[in-house]
Amino acid sequence: MTVADQLIPAVSDPAADAAGPDETEEPIKQRKNGLYPGVSDELAENMKSGWADTELHDLQPIAQAAETAGRRAALSARFPGERLVIPAGNLKTRSNDTEYAFRASVEYAYLTGNQTEDGVLVLEPAADGHTATLYLLPRSNRENGEFWLSGQGELWVGRRHSLAEAGQLYGVPASDVRELPEKLREATGPVRVVRGYDAGIEAALHDKVTAERDEELRVFLSEARLVKDEFEIGELQKAVDSTVRGFEDVVKVLDKAEATSERYIEGTFFLRARVEGNDIGYGSICASGPHACTLHWVRNDGPVRSGDLLLLDAGVETHTYYTADVTRTLPVNGTYSEIQKKIYDAVYEAQEAGIAAVKPGAKYRDFHDAAQRVLTEKLVEWGLVEGPVERVVELGLQRRWTLHGTGHMLGMDVHDCAAARTETYVEGTLEPGMVLTVEPGLYFQTDDLTVPEEYRGIGVRIEDDILVTEDGNRNLSAGLPRRSDEVEAWMASFLKG
């Protein structure tokens, strides 16, 4: 990043000065300690002219335009006669004047396909449903110098689409979002807003909305994503395919990870995610040795040692925000020890039972129950907990070593549809088009005195992304071996190559 005059000396705009106090724009904020104290009138005039017309014409709609239109239609049908407001969110400060990478709210991206900060989708009630408008920031202003003086101007962070261009891309008329708060303050009739993303929009609606009604909107948009359409399934498969290649990348550099740390694994997978997708879908868990017993180990600063297991839980996020979520537990040296294989094979057997239970008409809980029963049977067989199995499951005693649920919905969020009602999610029934993870695990903590010493410090999880089909299921991540002997052969093909 340049340290010269990042951002923003104040600009003198003669046209604004002549307009009078009520018509002037808010001045562009000046950076404290910038090297330039101001902008001369001559420079301001010079920067206004001599620029080519870069307006883009004849743009094609985004790939999912038909799907987003259908999603808006379903939303309109659910809330007739009500104004619906769905914000993308705003930039968040990371430190001083640098921001976190922006990710639009899932609700907004799901309904529009747009991913830019400050955007707001508004559905205005009409006689035959709703009229949709996409409120966005237009291209940065060249008359007042915003395009080169503002920290969010075009020459600092890149070109935004014009409102006309946005209309072509997203199939929705676009207007200037800076005019929206006043329009919302003047709005009449019932209004709902998706909360938690844009404080300014919420403030403009504070006297028109209720928490209960807004929650109904959020829940509906969460449940709408339970069943994926063909576009979404295709994106999830892209995410998984890139993730498979990311796991292959990691195996190829395990010797470098041994020479450094888990960070080498994290960085290796991240490279694949950024080259082929938008980002990682969540913080990668690169847990070697006893760190594998920490469910969400994302510090990734520990050693990688031959003879230990590496639990890698990672997923690539596509450019349209759909993420994979895959876990493999790999022997760093390419071969499982006897005890490692014993534990790994038990988890594999549990996962097989869980995947077999994923089918249309099954209860959502069935795959969890099937996997947990197998793990419990193993724990009883090994003498780690006193049976019978039914008693252990009823009391949940196996959870000392299994810890977590066996899966979750997957989509634009790694834990997708989280706001859905319990009766439609955890207590619901599986349907074709649902995508969920199946990820049983066993974790024996280093300080667990209830298990033999040879178990301690071993953590194993196997996770795959499963699509419910009309006649059963399809493992989207079947490109990665799961069975212990297949994992060893797969690793050997890279380590020897």
Side-chain angles (χ1 to χ4, degrees):
M1 168 179 275
T2 175
V3 295
D5 312 299
Q6 309 106 315
L7 313 184
I8 358 184
V11 58
S12 172
D13 186 343
D17 292 343
D22 294 333
E23 298 176 40
T24 58
E25 296 182 1
E26 183 178 344
I28 296 172
K29 181 182 177 182
Q30 181 173 358
R31 172 194 284 274
K32 186 177 182 180
N33 294 321
L35 293 180
Y36 288 108
V39 175
S40 68
D41 291 346
E42 289 79 5
L43 178 57
E45 279 301 311
N46 177 276
M47 291 297 289
K48 289 180 184 180
S49 60
W51 305 99
D53 179 8
T54 60
E55 182 74 8
L56 303 175
H57 303 281
D58 301 321
L59 292 172
Q60 296 301 308
I62 59 173
Q64 68 269 42
E67 284 80 9
T68 55
R71 297 164 192 169
R72 293 191 298 272
L75 176 61
S76 172
R78 172 61 179 82
F79 298 104
E82 302 186 49
R83 182 176 282 100
L84 308 173
V85 182
I86 301 93
N90 315 122
L91 291 172
K92 290 182 171 61
T93 299
R94 181 181 186 274
S95 176
N96 191 20
D97 52 10
T98 61
E99 291 85 21
Y100 287 103
F102 180 74
R103 190 180 191 272
S105 75
V106 165
E107 294 88 349
Y108 175 86
Y110 177 75
L111 293 168
T112 67
N114 179 258
Q115 299 177 8
T116 55
E117 66 269 17
D118 301 325
V120 184
L121 173 67
V122 178
L123 271 60
E124 299 276 355
D128 57 349
H130 286 82
T131 300
T133 303
L134 200 53
Y135 287 89
L136 301 168
L137 285 171
R139 288 187 62 187
S140 48
N141 193 313
R142 290 182 182 253
E143 282 300 307
N144 72 354
E146 175 195 1
F147 79 109
W148 71 286
L149 293 171
S150 167
Q152 296 303 317
E154 189 168 306
L155 299 194
W156 285 97
V157 298
R159 182 187 187 277
R160 294 192 289 264
H161 282 296
S162 72
L163 298 179
E165 292 168 355
Q168 294 178 62
L169 286 169
Y170 305 109
V172 180
S175 294
D176 191 334
V177 72
R178 294 171 296 188
E179 301 169 357
L180 181 58
E182 185 59 32
K183 289 183 179 181
L184 294 178
R185 280 189 285 269
E186 295 174 355
T188 58
V191 184
R192 297 178 192 255
V193 63
V194 177
R195 299 189 181 201
Y197 298 116
D198 193 319
I201 294 300
E202 291 180 35
L205 292 170
H206 76 280
D207 59 342
K208 306 179 194 314
V209 296
T210 67
E212 293 77 14
R213 288 162 51 79
D214 292 347
E215 180 64 10
E216 288 177 354
L217 173 60
R218 188 172 79 103
V219 167
F220 173 82
L221 290 173
S222 192
E223 293 183 358
R225 303 199 308 277
L226 282 168
V227 175
K228 271 59 180 178
D229 58 39
E230 288 303 313
F231 175 84
E232 294 180 288
I233 293 168
E235 290 299 294
L236 285 166
Q237 187 65 69
K238 284 183 193 175
V240 169
D241 292 345
S242 289
T243 299
V244 168
R245 289 187 284 273
F247 274 67
E248 293 173 352
D249 295 339
V250 167
V251 172
K252 293 174 183 177
V253 300
L254 281 176
D255 58 332
K256 295 183 174 63
E258 286 189 66
T260 53
S261 75
E262 296 163 339
R263 291 282 169 92
Y264 205 97
I265 295 165
E266 178 182 2
T268 298
F269 187 85
F270 180 69
L271 177 61
R272 178 67 65 173
R274 287 294 281 168
V275 167
E276 295 193 359
N278 178 58
D279 206 334
I280 50 174
Y282 53 95
S284 299
I285 299 168
C286 307
S288 184
H291 288 162
C293 298
T294 301
L295 298 186
H296 288 168
W297 177 260
V298 292
R299 298 180 201 171
N300 298 336
D301 59 359
V304 178
R305 298 188 177 100
S306 180
D308 282 347
L309 295 177
L310 167 67
L311 190 157
L312 177 57
D313 183 336
V316 173
E317 177 187 82
T318 67
H319 294 290
T320 55
Y321 286 176
Y322 290 87
T323 185
D325 183 6
V326 177
T327 306
R328 291 293 184 269
T329 306
L330 311 172
V332 173
N333 63 10
T335 304
Y336 296 100
S337 70
E338 183 177 348
I339 184 64
Q340 290 169 350
K341 187 176 187 299
K342 173 182 173 180
I343 296 169
Y344 184 95
D345 288 349
V347 174
Y348 171 79
E349 187 177 328
Q351 194 201 28
E352 283 283 274
I355 292 174
V358 175
K359 54 190 173 183
K363 302 300 291 182
Y364 176 83
R365 286 183 176 274
D366 287 353
F367 77 96
H368 168 72
D369 293 342
Q372 286 290 300
R373 181 172 185 86
V374 171
L375 293 178
T376 304
E377 289 171 351
K378 297 296 182 181
L379 293 167
V380 171
E381 176 188 326
W382 298 340
L384 304 185
V385 63
E386 183 180 349
V389 169
E390 288 73 13
R391 167 186 168 273
V392 177
V393 171
E394 181 182 356
L395 297 176
L397 300 180
Q398 82 283 1
R399 293 180 61 186
R400 181 183 180 101
W401 304 285
T402 66
L403 292 175
H404 54 79
T406 310
H408 51 80
M409 291 295 180
L410 184 68
M412 297 181 85
D413 280 330
V414 66
H415 293 164
D416 209 27
C417 313
R421 292 168 296 171
T422 300
E423 57 266 32
T424 61
Y425 189 157
V426 174
E427 302 296 344
T429 301
L430 296 180
E431 301 177 38
M434 290 182 170
V435 179
L436 58 145
T437 67
V438 178
E439 51 175 313
L442 283 173
Y443 312 91
F444 298 102
Q445 306 300 324
T446 56
D447 58 350
D448 188 350
L449 302 182
T450 70
V451 301
E453 187 173 357
E454 63 176 350
Y455 287 77
R456 297 174 199 165
I458 295 178
V460 173
R461 180 163 67 251
I462 312 172
E463 177 180 20
D464 285 86
D465 301 340
I466 309 298
L467 167 67
V468 183
T469 62
E470 294 289 344
D471 57 357
N473 68 66
R474 175 158 60 92
N475 185 350
L476 300 179
S477 45
L480 273 181
R482 293 186 295 124
R483 210 174 62 203
S484 57
D485 60 333
E486 293 175 341
V487 170
E488 291 176 337
W490 171 75
M491 292 184 69
S493 70
F494 295 111
L495 296 175
K496 292 175 181 177

